Amino acid sequence: MFKRLLSLFLVFVFSIILVIPSFAATPTINYWYSDYNRVGYTLLEGSYCTYNLVQNDSTFASRFNTAVAHAEDVWDAVLPLSIFSAPANYALYSIYGGTWSQLYSIFPDLLIDDAGLTSVNFTGTTHTVKYNNTNKTVERLSVGQTAIIKRASATQANYTNIATHEMGHMFGWIGHSSYTGDVMYAYESSNITLTNRDKRQIKQIYNLFYS
């Protein structure tokens, strides 16, 4: 089966400069599964609103809503912040479902083969942690938005995998796992259950910096 790349587009916003907490020594973390040297976290609540741009397609609407609800449930169980659906005027994150052409006007970095895309803003606050004597950068995240692309070949499991993968990016998983069984693997699959690798990569960061 042709696998489509799941993308993370990072938007750097340095409009908020905050004091970085000082540690007696650089904190050490125990796990690293990303192909990238950065990881993120947020101090914001996980309020999100969904926007289904596809009209008159009840099948996609059902699959899209089911996928997002699953993503919310599994990440809410892992992370210390509350993740929940909220009205548009209250939500900090937006999750869009639609065709590629519909979503491209909102996400200009969307590639033709993308199955999903997440764009997140950074506050400018960074920390350094150490893994196996290698420094890793921790970025504090602000708001973000996600695209889930409607495709004729996609199953419910595919959409659920994409939504769960992209929500991982939304709350701090930068880069991708090289393990094919992980939800945070770079390519679309039918995997919908977070592995310990998926969880540990960002949970350890929230354990250090979330308060």
Side-chain angles (χ1 to χ4, degrees), residues 132-155:
N132 281 352
N133 295 317
T134 300
N135 286 340
K136 306 290 186 181
T137 300
V138 180
E139 300 269 4
R140 181 172 165 183
L141 311 181
S142 181
V143 298
Q145 57 184 5
T146 286
I148 298 174
I149 295 89
K150 177 185 181 292
R151 304 187 322 281
S153 61
T155 65

Side-chain angles (χ1 to χ4, degrees), residues 13-27:
V13 177
F14 295 102
S15 59
I16 305 174
I17 306 299
L18 301 175
V19 177
I20 300 174
S22 60
F23 292 88
T26 302

Side-chain angles (χ1 to χ4, degrees), residues 40 49-50 63 65-67 77 87 107 114 118 153 165 168 182 194 196 207:
C49 187
T50 56
R63 290 178 175 178
N65 291 333
T66 298
F107 299 84
D114 284 342
T118 293
S153 61
H165 177 106
D182 291 350
L194 295 177
N196 284 334
N207 288 344

